[in-house]
Amino acid sequence: MKKLQEKIGYSFKNVSFLEEALTHSSYANEQQEKIANNERLEFLGDAVLSFVSAQYLFEKYPDMPEGRLSKLRSSLVCTASLSSFAREIELGSFLRMGKGETANGGASRPSVLENAFEALIAAIYLDGGIEEAKKFILHFLMREVENHHSNFKDYKSLLQEIIQQNPDERLSYSVVSTSGPDHDKRFEVELRLNSNIIGKGIGTSKKNAEQLAAKQALELMGVQI
């Protein structure tokens, strides 16, 4: 507990918030007496993160339209980003997990790290208030925002804008297969325009696979991306 608090630069007044944030449901389920896991904190942390990131981008880019702000925020707080932040502070090594999850590499799974990072945000918020939570979040966010602003491309939205020019056309994404172990799954998505397949994508999440399918469709159409 002390080591993690040193890493994040915040000392808890009530360390039980931190303990709960580090407790995976698999660990809680193995205990004889009922203890709280971090799922409720994850829910709260997601909301705090959403507010702080929205306020930061709103103030930083006063002329950016709502659509671009939403896309930029989504890219900043996606699973890949949050799990990367969690790895930076070695959060996985502090998690309390069940034996099965530990054996299957759960502590390094992106979704587990993302959830734990959001739970940690909530723990800081409950213990120290919104300003402390904001300070913690912006430590990571401020470094990332310029890179994401210049490099992130939302292929799905770009494709949708093109297709919407013809109201009779309809795009649909569907997962056709999944593969790999729970801690390293791969999703294959097909993208159809009406009944015709115009793109396929394989990614570590459904959203990632959909973006890759949309990118392939745009390339097929000859759109510069």
Side-chain angles (χ1 to χ4, degrees), residues 17-38:
F17 289 129
L18 179 57
E19 291 175 350
E20 185 174 334
L22 298 176
T23 303
H24 190 262
S25 58
S26 62
Y27 178 87
N29 292 337
E30 289 182 359
Q31 306 310 302
Q32 291 185 345
E33 59 185 54
K34 186 177 180 180
I35 64 171
N37 62 52
N38 64 8

Side-chain angles (χ1 to χ4, degrees), residues 10 19 44 52 63 73 76 87 119 121 124 134 151-152 167 189-190 193 195 217 219:
Y10 179 77
E19 291 175 350
L44 177 60
V52 170
D63 299 320
R73 183 179 62 176
L76 285 167
R87 289 189 190 95
I121 289 172
I124 294 171
K134 185 175 181 179
N151 292 332
F152 177 72
V189 165
E190 282 184 353
L193 178 60
S195 60
E219 291 170 345

Side-chain angles (χ1 to χ4, degrees), residues 24-212:
H24 190 262
S25 58
S26 62
Y27 178 87
N29 292 337
E30 289 182 359
Q31 306 310 302
Q32 291 185 345
E33 59 185 54
K34 186 177 180 180
I35 64 171
N37 62 52
N38 64 8
E39 291 176 354
R40 281 172 50 84
L41 286 179
E42 173 205 338
F43 167 78
L44 177 60
D46 178 66
V48 174
L49 174 62
S50 181
F51 168 71
V52 170
S53 57
Q55 182 187 37
Y56 176 69
L57 294 176
F58 180 83
E59 293 173 351
K60 183 173 179 62
Y61 300 110
D63 299 320
M64 185 178 288
E66 181 270 340
R68 283 290 299 153
L69 286 171
S70 294
K71 292 171 189 174
L72 180 54
R73 183 179 62 176
S74 294
S75 73
L76 285 167
V77 299
C78 66
T79 299
S81 295
L82 298 184
S83 60
S84 174
F85 299 158
R87 289 189 190 95
E88 186 177 327
I89 57 175
E90 300 178 345
L91 189 56
S93 65
F94 297 97
L95 295 179
R96 300 196 294 180
M97 307 194 75
K99 294 177 182 177
E101 279 291 325
T102 300
N104 289 327
S108 61
R109 192 181 307 159
S111 60
V112 170
L113 291 173
E114 173 191 17
N115 295 343
F117 190 80
E118 289 176 337
L120 180 57
I121 289 172
I124 294 171
Y125 167 72
L126 291 173
D127 189 73
I130 189 64
E131 288 304 317
E132 290 294 342
K134 185 175 181 179
K135 187 189 303 182
F136 174 72
I137 292 167
L138 292 184
H139 170 74
F140 298 94
L141 222 59
M142 289 175 70
R143 289 184 329 212
E144 295 291 307
V145 68
E146 293 297 339
N147 180 53
H148 278 72
H149 184 205
S150 59
N151 292 332
F152 177 72
K153 291 186 178 179
D154 187 344
Y155 299 113
K156 284 183 66 176
S157 295
L158 177 57
L159 180 61
Q160 187 67 38
E161 289 172 7
I162 293 171
I163 299 301
Q164 280 177 343
Q165 295 174 18
N166 187 340
D168 295 328
E169 305 287 359
R170 180 175 174 272
L171 290 172
S172 62
Y173 297 83
S174 59
V175 177
V176 294
S177 70
T178 59
S179 60
D182 285 344
H183 66 279
D184 190 24
K185 274 199 178 301
R186 291 292 184 273
F187 297 85
E188 182 179 1
V189 165
E190 282 184 353
L191 167 59
R192 292 177 181 268
L193 178 60
N194 301 323
S195 60
N196 301 313
I197 297 174
I198 60 169
K200 292 185 178 182
I202 299 175
T204 55
S205 69
K206 293 176 186 177
K207 289 181 179 179
N208 178 235
E210 288 173 355
Q211 287 285 352
L212 293 174

